[in-house]
Amino acid sequence: VVMDVGTGSGILAVWAALAGAKKVYAIEYTDMAKHARQVVEANGVSDIVTVIQGAVEDIKLPIAEDGLEAEEDGSTLVVDIMVSEWMGYFLLRESMLDSVIRARDKYLKKKTGLMFPSHCTMYVAPVFDEDDRMQSVHEYSHTMDDWSEFVESTRSLYGVDMGVLGKDFDREQKEYYLLSSRWAELGASQVLAEPKAVKYYDMTTCTLEESRGIAHGEEMATFDFDVDADSTDDECISGIAGWFTSDFKSRTDEGGADAPKINAAFLSTAPEAGYTHWGQQVMHFQSKIPLLQGETTRLQGSVELMRTKENARLYNCRLRFFNSRRKTGEAKDGNILMQGPAVEHVYQIP
């Protein structure tokens, strides 16, 4: 028995039926459920796939009607495999991980059930992306020039001073142009150091609390990058990029010892993996960090990812970092040539 959470067009549910599933439940909250039913019918699997419209937290499976066998008497643990394409930009943005976890806890067999994807990992790395960074800076500057001209013309033509709104306008433009992450299709050569994993999810055991993001102070959420100017042709660090990988493999938790073993598959949205619609999210620095020949730049800091107050499916990313330089070959904690100030920015992930 398979459950597809957030089935959308129904394609994963159809694939599950074609792969031999005895029964598939395709859950969809939106009116896309109507189109999913059409796709199921057109592909001749309507005897296997049942499309149910509603929130997965609220729906009820026809357990008795379909003669499903629960793992425990009287329980709703009837699903052998749960699939869902819930991943968003930088894994969590606009994701429905909460719903997947609730569906898992309600319907997936605890001892033998499988989750696909089974494990997900979030990564960050320093990158060179100067063209896009400078474009954002120029667009911000151009917008503020337009504002100054507007304020002056309104004052001279109509005798009204709009300058009082300048600070609020400037803040809004900075948030949009300078403090919003940008979707990018980076090349592998633009990544300036070995990526650092900042969050790991075992989809069989992760909790609702863990699904909320990356909390301040989490051990994995720190980074410490060395960028050797002599090993790259790039002239500076433009910002930090984030992406994710998803594994489709056997269970690794202690409670899953009796679960079926499978041939593993792997999805990566990293720059070296080529194009995916997820791409990477780049958080550009407001000022680039130059790379100087004969020197190594060290970038230390942490990542925090938290839901916005306005929309639980959207996220802000807080970067805290500082940089220092030392002669290439000098020990990591050896003689420091320069240390920059601590920087903290909050980026919207639009």
Side-chain angles (χ1 to χ4, degrees):
V1 177
V2 175
M3 176 180 282
D4 177 10
V5 181
T7 196
S9 68
I11 189 169
L12 295 183
V14 170
W15 278 340
L18 295 176
K22 180 180 71 174
K23 187 65 187 177
V24 181
Y25 296 102
I27 316 303
E28 176 56 42
Y29 178 73
T30 73
D31 285 340
M32 275 296 294
K34 295 183 292 186
H35 301 298
R37 291 190 184 99
Q38 292 177 310
V39 171
V40 167
E41 183 77 24
N43 285 273
V45 292
S46 55
D47 58 326
I48 300 174
V49 180
T50 298
V51 178
I52 302 175
Q53 184 170 4
V56 73
E57 295 89 344
D58 300 329
I59 59 102
K60 292 184 179 180
L61 295 185
I63 294 174
E65 297 90 329
D66 290 348
L68 303 182
E69 184 178 343
E71 186 177 58
E72 302 169 1
D73 290 343
S75 77
T76 57
L77 304 177
V78 297
V79 172
D80 298 292
I81 297 175
M82 186 168 291
V83 299
S84 181
E85 196 282 272
W86 57 266
M87 302 85 76
Y89 295 146
F90 200 16
L91 189 64
L92 295 180
R93 188 264 191 190
E94 263 196 17
S95 77
M96 45 185 285
L97 181 53
D98 288 18
S99 296
V100 173
I101 292 173
R102 291 189 177 97
R104 179 201 68 192
D105 292 346
K106 187 174 182 180
Y107 291 114
L108 187 72
K109 294 179 179 179
K110 295 187 181 300
K111 297 178 181 178
T112 58
L114 298 175
M115 296 288 293
F116 295 135
S118 60
H119 305 78
C120 294
T121 308
M122 301 170 68
Y123 293 90
V124 296
V127 295
F128 176 75
D129 190 35
E130 202 58 12
D131 287 347
D132 283 354
R133 190 190 75 83
M134 287 306 301
Q135 180 179 343
S136 296
V137 171
H138 289 151
E139 288 175 349
Y140 164 73
S141 298
H142 181 69
T143 299
M144 293 311 299
D145 288 343
D146 286 348
W147 169 258
S148 297
E149 185 175 343
F150 166 75
V151 170
E152 183 58 35
S153 63
T154 303
R155 182 186 296 113
S156 60
L157 287 174
Y158 307 110
V160 177
D161 185 358
M162 302 294 290
V164 67
L165 303 179
K167 288 185 178 180
D168 288 337
F169 184 81
D170 180 57
R171 174 181 52 79
E172 291 175 359
Q173 303 315 303
K174 278 184 178 176
E175 288 176 353
Y176 180 77
Y177 289 110
L178 304 182
L179 294 175
S180 291
S181 63
R182 302 298 182 194
W183 184 95
E185 185 183 351
L186 298 171
S189 64
Q190 293 176 260
V191 180
L192 300 175
E194 188 69 22
K196 169 67 166 58
V198 292
K199 188 77 175 184
Y200 176 77
Y201 288 102
D202 183 332
M203 296 307 302
T204 306
T205 60
C206 67
T207 65
L208 286 171
E209 180 65 27
E210 290 171 328
S211 75
R212 294 194 172 99
I214 303 175
H216 177 55
E218 285 191 29
E219 185 176 354
M220 280 188 70
T222 61
F223 55 81
D224 188 348
F225 299 116
D226 268 355
V227 183
D228 180 0
D230 296 334
S231 64
T232 178
D233 293 330
D234 298 322
E235 63 185 26
C236 65
I237 304 173
S238 304
I240 296 284
W243 61 84
F244 69 92
T245 62
S246 292
D247 287 279
F248 300 77
K249 62 184 182 181
S250 302
R251 283 175 59 167
T252 57
D253 62 298
E254 292 182 359
D258 295 330
K261 306 304 179 187
I262 66 168
N263 294 323
F266 182 69
L267 165 70
S268 175
T269 65
E272 70 269 16
Y275 173 80
T276 69
H277 77 270
W278 291 283
Q280 299 86 41
Q281 290 291 306
V282 180
M283 289 151 280
H284 292 123
F285 299 153
Q286 292 194 29
S287 298
K288 66 184 181 182
I289 300 176
L291 298 176
L292 303 181
Q293 293 300 306
E295 298 182 2
T296 295
T297 296
R298 184 180 184 184
L299 186 65
Q300 298 172 262
S302 64
V303 179
E304 182 182 352
L305 201 68
M306 56 279 190
R307 293 173 175 174
T308 66
K309 295 179 181 179
E310 298 78 18
N311 188 332
R313 293 200 184 275
L314 298 182
Y315 283 78
N316 289 331
C317 182
R318 186 187 304 275
L319 287 182
R320 299 178 176 92
F321 65 91
F322 64 92
N323 74 94
S324 60
R325 295 199 318 271
R326 66 184 189 275
K327 288 290 184 182
T328 297
E330 182 79 27
K332 204 174 186 75
D333 295 315
N335 185 47
I336 301 299
L337 300 175
M338 185 285 305
Q339 179 165 309
V343 178
E344 179 176 333
H345 289 310
V346 177
Y347 296 83
Q348 304 173 83
I349 304 180

